[in-house]
PDB file of all heavy atoms in Angstrom:
ATOM      1  N   ASP A  94      12.418-124.922  10.062  1.00  0.00           N
ATOM      2  CA  ASP A  94      11.454-123.983  10.626  1.00  0.00           C
ATOM      3  C   ASP A  94      11.906-122.534  10.419  1.00  0.00           C
ATOM      4  O   ASP A  94      11.117-121.661  10.068  1.00  0.00           O
ATOM      5  CB  ASP A  94      11.254-124.255  12.122  1.00  0.00           C
ATOM      6  CG  ASP A  94      10.048-125.133  12.391  1.00  0.00           C
ATOM      7  OD1 ASP A  94       9.127-125.150  11.546  1.00  0.00           O
ATOM      8  OD2 ASP A  94      10.020-125.809  13.424  1.00  0.00           O
ATOM      9  N   ASP A  95      13.198-122.294  10.648  1.00  0.00           N
ATOM     10  CA  ASP A  95      13.739-120.944  10.456  1.00  0.00           C
ATOM     11  C   ASP A  95      13.617-120.508   9.003  1.00  0.00           C
ATOM     12  O   ASP A  95      13.282-119.352   8.713  1.00  0.00           O
ATOM     13  CB  ASP A  95      15.210-120.889  10.892  1.00  0.00           C
ATOM     14  CG  ASP A  95      15.377-120.951  12.402  1.00  0.00           C
ATOM     15  OD1 ASP A  95      14.376-120.699  13.112  1.00  0.00           O
ATOM     16  OD2 ASP A  95      16.499-121.253  12.864  1.00  0.00           O
ATOM     17  N   GLN A  96      13.883-121.432   8.080  1.00  0.00           N
ATOM     18  CA  GLN A  96      13.785-121.114   6.658  1.00  0.00           C
ATOM     19  C   GLN A  96      12.341-120.789   6.252  1.00  0.00           C
ATOM     20  O   GLN A  96      12.097-119.865   5.473  1.00  0.00           O
ATOM     21  CB  GLN A  96      14.317-122.280   5.813  1.00  0.00           C
ATOM     22  CG  GLN A  96      15.825-122.479   5.893  1.00  0.00           C
ATOM     23  CD  GLN A  96      16.584-121.254   5.396  1.00  0.00           C
ATOM     24  OE1 GLN A  96      16.421-120.825   4.262  1.00  0.00           O
ATOM     25  NE2 GLN A  96      17.417-120.685   6.256  1.00  0.00           N
ATOM     26  N   MET A  97      11.408-121.563   6.806  1.00  0.00           N
ATOM     27  CA  MET A  97      10.004-121.307   6.496  1.00  0.00           C
ATOM     28  C   MET A  97       9.576-119.948   7.048  1.00  0.00           C
ATOM     29  O   MET A  97       8.894-119.167   6.364  1.00  0.00           O
ATOM     30  CB  MET A  97       9.137-122.417   7.085  1.00  0.00           C
ATOM     31  CG  MET A  97       9.309-123.772   6.406  1.00  0.00           C
ATOM     32  SD  MET A  97       8.907-123.724   4.649  1.00  0.00           S
ATOM     33  CE  MET A  97       7.208-123.209   4.727  1.00  0.00           C
ATOM     34  N   ASP A  98       9.958-119.664   8.282  1.00  0.00           N
ATOM     35  CA  ASP A  98       9.607-118.365   8.880  1.00  0.00           C
ATOM     36  C   ASP A  98      10.169-117.211   8.061  1.00  0.00           C
ATOM     37  O   ASP A  98       9.486-116.213   7.808  1.00  0.00           O
ATOM     38  CB  ASP A  98      10.142-118.284  10.316  1.00  0.00           C
ATOM     39  CG  ASP A  98       9.328-119.117  11.284  1.00  0.00           C
ATOM     40  OD1 ASP A  98       8.181-119.451  10.945  1.00  0.00           O
ATOM     41  OD2 ASP A  98       9.842-119.437  12.371  1.00  0.00           O
ATOM     42  N   THR A  99      11.424-117.357   7.635  1.00  0.00           N
ATOM     43  CA  THR A  99      12.074-116.317   6.847  1.00  0.00           C
ATOM     44  C   THR A  99      11.365-116.130   5.506  1.00  0.00           C
ATOM     45  O   THR A  99      11.139-114.995   5.058  1.00  0.00           O
ATOM     46  CB  THR A  99      13.547-116.659   6.607  1.00  0.00           C
ATOM     47  OG1 THR A  99      14.226-116.754   7.866  1.00  0.00           O
ATOM     48  CG2 THR A  99      14.222-115.608   5.749  1.00  0.00           C
ATOM     49  N   MET A 100      10.997-117.250   4.882  1.00  0.00           N
ATOM     50  CA  MET A 100      10.329-117.183   3.580  1.00  0.00           C
ATOM     51  C   MET A 100       9.007-116.428   3.682  1.00  0.00           C
ATOM     52  O   MET A 100       8.703-115.545   2.867  1.00  0.00           O
ATOM     53  CB  MET A 100      10.075-118.595   3.042  1.00  0.00           C
ATOM     54  CG  MET A 100       9.362-118.604   1.686  1.00  0.00           C
ATOM     55  SD  MET A 100       8.991-120.267   1.075  1.00  0.00           S
ATOM     56  CE  MET A 100       7.579-120.681   2.116  1.00  0.00           C
ATOM     57  N   PHE A 101       8.227-116.739   4.712  1.00  0.00           N
ATOM     58  CA  PHE A 101       6.923-116.097   4.846  1.00  0.00           C
ATOM     59  C   PHE A 101       7.056-114.631   5.265  1.00  0.00           C
ATOM     60  O   PHE A 101       6.277-113.780   4.837  1.00  0.00           O
ATOM     61  CB  PHE A 101       6.047-116.858   5.836  1.00  0.00           C
ATOM     62  CG  PHE A 101       5.487-118.142   5.272  1.00  0.00           C
ATOM     63  CD1 PHE A 101       5.722-119.352   5.899  1.00  0.00           C
ATOM     64  CD2 PHE A 101       4.745-118.134   4.111  1.00  0.00           C
ATOM     65  CE1 PHE A 101       5.211-120.531   5.374  1.00  0.00           C
ATOM     66  CE2 PHE A 101       4.231-119.304   3.574  1.00  0.00           C
ATOM     67  CZ  PHE A 101       4.463-120.510   4.209  1.00  0.00           C
ATOM     68  N   LYS A 102       8.047-114.323   6.085  1.00  0.00           N
ATOM     69  CA  LYS A 102       8.263-112.925   6.475  1.00  0.00           C
ATOM     70  C   LYS A 102       8.683-112.096   5.268  1.00  0.00           C
ATOM     71  O   LYS A 102       8.226-110.967   5.077  1.00  0.00           O
ATOM     72  CB  LYS A 102       9.320-112.842   7.568  1.00  0.00           C
ATOM     73  CG  LYS A 102       8.826-113.260   8.950  1.00  0.00           C
ATOM     74  CD  LYS A 102       9.934-113.176   9.986  1.00  0.00           C
ATOM     75  CE  LYS A 102       9.437-113.620  11.350  1.00  0.00           C
ATOM     76  NZ  LYS A 102      10.515-113.610  12.368  1.00  0.00           N
ATOM     77  N   ASN A 103       9.564-112.649   4.425  1.00  0.00           N
ATOM     78  CA  ASN A 103      10.009-111.936   3.224  1.00  0.00           C
ATOM     79  C   ASN A 103       8.863-111.741   2.237  1.00  0.00           C
ATOM     80  O   ASN A 103       8.779-110.707   1.557  1.00  0.00           O
ATOM     81  CB  ASN A 103      11.155-112.695   2.556  1.00  0.00           C
ATOM     82  CG  ASN A 103      12.439-112.636   3.359  1.00  0.00           C
ATOM     83  OD1 ASN A 103      12.608-111.780   4.230  1.00  0.00           O
ATOM     84  ND2 ASN A 103      13.352-113.555   3.090  1.00  0.00           N
ATOM     85  N   ALA A 104       7.974-112.740   2.161  1.00  0.00           N
ATOM     86  CA  ALA A 104       6.839-112.636   1.246  1.00  0.00           C
ATOM     87  C   ALA A 104       5.831-111.605   1.746  1.00  0.00           C
ATOM     88  O   ALA A 104       5.150-110.946   0.960  1.00  0.00           O
ATOM     89  CB  ALA A 104       6.168-113.998   1.091  1.00  0.00           C
ATOM     90  N   LEU A 105       5.749-111.449   3.069  1.00  0.00           N
ATOM     91  CA  LEU A 105       4.773-110.543   3.665  1.00  0.00           C
ATOM     92  C   LEU A 105       5.235-109.086   3.653  1.00  0.00           C
ATOM     93  O   LEU A 105       4.413-108.168   3.582  1.00  0.00           O
ATOM     94  CB  LEU A 105       4.493-110.975   5.104  1.00  0.00           C
ATOM     95  CG  LEU A 105       3.336-110.300   5.839  1.00  0.00           C
ATOM     96  CD1 LEU A 105       2.016-110.567   5.114  1.00  0.00           C
ATOM     97  CD2 LEU A 105       3.271-110.790   7.279  1.00  0.00           C
ATOM     98  N   ALA A 106       6.538-108.890   3.663  1.00  0.00           N
ATOM     99  CA  ALA A 106       7.092-107.537   3.822  1.00  0.00           C
ATOM    100  C   ALA A 106       6.563-106.525   2.804  1.00  0.00           C
ATOM    101  O   ALA A 106       6.186-105.410   3.184  1.00  0.00           O
ATOM    102  CB  ALA A 106       8.615-107.599   3.785  1.00  0.00           C
ATOM    103  N   PRO A 107       6.518-106.862   1.500  1.00  0.00           N
ATOM    104  CA  PRO A 107       6.041-105.852   0.538  1.00  0.00           C
ATOM    105  C   PRO A 107       4.522-105.813   0.383  1.00  0.00           C
ATOM    106  O   PRO A 107       4.004-104.994  -0.381  1.00  0.00           O
ATOM    107  CB  PRO A 107       6.684-106.319  -0.776  1.00  0.00           C
ATOM    108  CG  PRO A 107       6.755-107.805  -0.630  1.00  0.00           C
ATOM    109  CD  PRO A 107       7.007-108.077   0.831  1.00  0.00           C
ATOM    110  N   LEU A 108       3.810-106.679   1.105  1.00  0.00           N
ATOM    111  CA  LEU A 108       2.363-106.777   0.928  1.00  0.00           C
ATOM    112  C   LEU A 108       1.636-105.638   1.642  1.00  0.00           C
ATOM    113  O   LEU A 108       1.896-105.352   2.801  1.00  0.00           O
ATOM    114  CB  LEU A 108       1.856-108.117   1.464  1.00  0.00           C
ATOM    115  CG  LEU A 108       0.382-108.433   1.206  1.00  0.00           C
ATOM    116  CD1 LEU A 108       0.131-108.613  -0.291  1.00  0.00           C
ATOM    117  CD2 LEU A 108      -0.047-109.678   1.976  1.00  0.00           C
ATOM    118  N   LYS A 109       0.737-105.007   0.922  1.00  0.00           N
ATOM    119  CA  LYS A 109      -0.091-103.946   1.477  1.00  0.00           C
ATOM    120  C   LYS A 109      -1.563-104.378   1.382  1.00  0.00           C
ATOM    121  O   LYS A 109      -1.992-104.933   0.371  1.00  0.00           O
ATOM    122  CB  LYS A 109       0.119-102.634   0.721  1.00  0.00           C
ATOM    123  CG  LYS A 109       1.569-102.134   0.738  1.00  0.00           C
ATOM    124  CD  LYS A 109       2.002-101.710   2.131  1.00  0.00           C
ATOM    125  CE  LYS A 109       3.375-101.058   2.131  1.00  0.00           C
ATOM    126  NZ  LYS A 109       4.474-101.980   1.812  1.00  0.00           N
ATOM    127  N   ILE A 110      -2.309-104.103   2.446  1.00  0.00           N
ATOM    128  CA  ILE A 110      -3.688-104.581   2.542  1.00  0.00           C
ATOM    129  C   ILE A 110      -4.605-103.445   2.999  1.00  0.00           C
ATOM    130  O   ILE A 110      -4.244-102.673   3.879  1.00  0.00           O
ATOM    131  CB  ILE A 110      -3.802-105.743   3.546  1.00  0.00           C
ATOM    132  CG1 ILE A 110      -2.847-106.887   3.172  1.00  0.00           C
ATOM    133  CG2 ILE A 110      -5.243-106.259   3.635  1.00  0.00           C
ATOM    134  CD1 ILE A 110      -2.770-107.988   4.213  1.00  0.00           C
ATOM    135  N   THR A 111      -5.777-103.376   2.399  1.00  0.00           N
ATOM    136  CA  THR A 111      -6.817-102.496   2.926  1.00  0.00           C
ATOM    137  C   THR A 111      -8.100-103.299   3.055  1.00  0.00           C
ATOM    138  O   THR A 111      -8.321-104.252   2.298  1.00  0.00           O
ATOM    139  CB  THR A 111      -7.024-101.251   2.036  1.00  0.00           C
ATOM    140  OG1 THR A 111      -7.721-100.264   2.774  1.00  0.00           O
ATOM    141  CG2 THR A 111      -7.757-101.585   0.761  1.00  0.00           C
ATOM    142  N   CYS A 112      -8.921-102.939   4.028  1.00  0.00           N
ATOM    143  CA  CYS A 112     -10.039-103.794   4.419  1.00  0.00           C
ATOM    144  C   CYS A 112     -11.386-103.085   4.250  1.00  0.00           C
ATOM    145  O   CYS A 112     -11.508-101.884   4.486  1.00  0.00           O
ATOM    146  CB  CYS A 112      -9.877-104.222   5.881  1.00  0.00           C
ATOM    147  SG  CYS A 112      -8.266-104.967   6.245  1.00  0.00           S
ATOM    148  N   PHE A 113     -12.383-103.885   3.876  1.00  0.00           N
ATOM    149  CA  PHE A 113     -13.749-103.418   3.722  1.00  0.00           C
ATOM    150  C   PHE A 113     -14.677-104.415   4.420  1.00  0.00           C
ATOM    151  O   PHE A 113     -14.285-105.526   4.735  1.00  0.00           O
ATOM    152  CB  PHE A 113     -14.146-103.327   2.240  1.00  0.00           C
ATOM    153  CG  PHE A 113     -13.221-102.512   1.397  1.00  0.00           C
ATOM    154  CD1 PHE A 113     -12.117-103.085   0.785  1.00  0.00           C
ATOM    155  CD2 PHE A 113     -13.453-101.155   1.202  1.00  0.00           C
ATOM    156  CE1 PHE A 113     -11.252-102.333   0.010  1.00  0.00           C
ATOM    157  CE2 PHE A 113     -12.606-100.393   0.422  1.00  0.00           C
ATOM    158  CZ  PHE A 113     -11.494-100.979  -0.175  1.00  0.00           C
ATOM    159  N   SER A 114     -15.909-103.988   4.620  1.00  0.00           N
ATOM    160  CA  SER A 114     -16.933-104.903   5.101  1.00  0.00           C
ATOM    161  C   SER A 114     -18.087-104.897   4.111  1.00  0.00           C
ATOM    162  O   SER A 114     -18.334-103.896   3.429  1.00  0.00           O
ATOM    163  CB  SER A 114     -17.437-104.481   6.487  1.00  0.00           C
ATOM    164  OG  SER A 114     -18.543-105.290   6.879  1.00  0.00           O
ATOM    165  N   SER A 115     -18.789-106.012   4.038  1.00  0.00           N
ATOM    166  CA  SER A 115     -19.960-106.071   3.160  1.00  0.00           C
ATOM    167  C   SER A 115     -21.210-105.553   3.864  1.00  0.00           C
ATOM    168  O   SER A 115     -22.291-105.551   3.270  1.00  0.00           O
ATOM    169  CB  SER A 115     -20.190-107.513   2.691  1.00  0.00           C
ATOM    170  OG  SER A 115     -20.383-108.377   3.800  1.00  0.00           O
TER     171      SER A 115
END
Side-chain angles (χ1 to χ4, degrees):
D94 264 335
D95 288 342
Q96 290 299 302
M97 291 300 300
D98 285 341
T99 299
M100 179 183 76
F101 285 123
K102 284 179 181 177
N103 290 342
L105 190 61
L108 187 66
K109 301 292 187 292
I110 304 172
T111 197
C112 307
F113 306 89
S114 173
S115 59

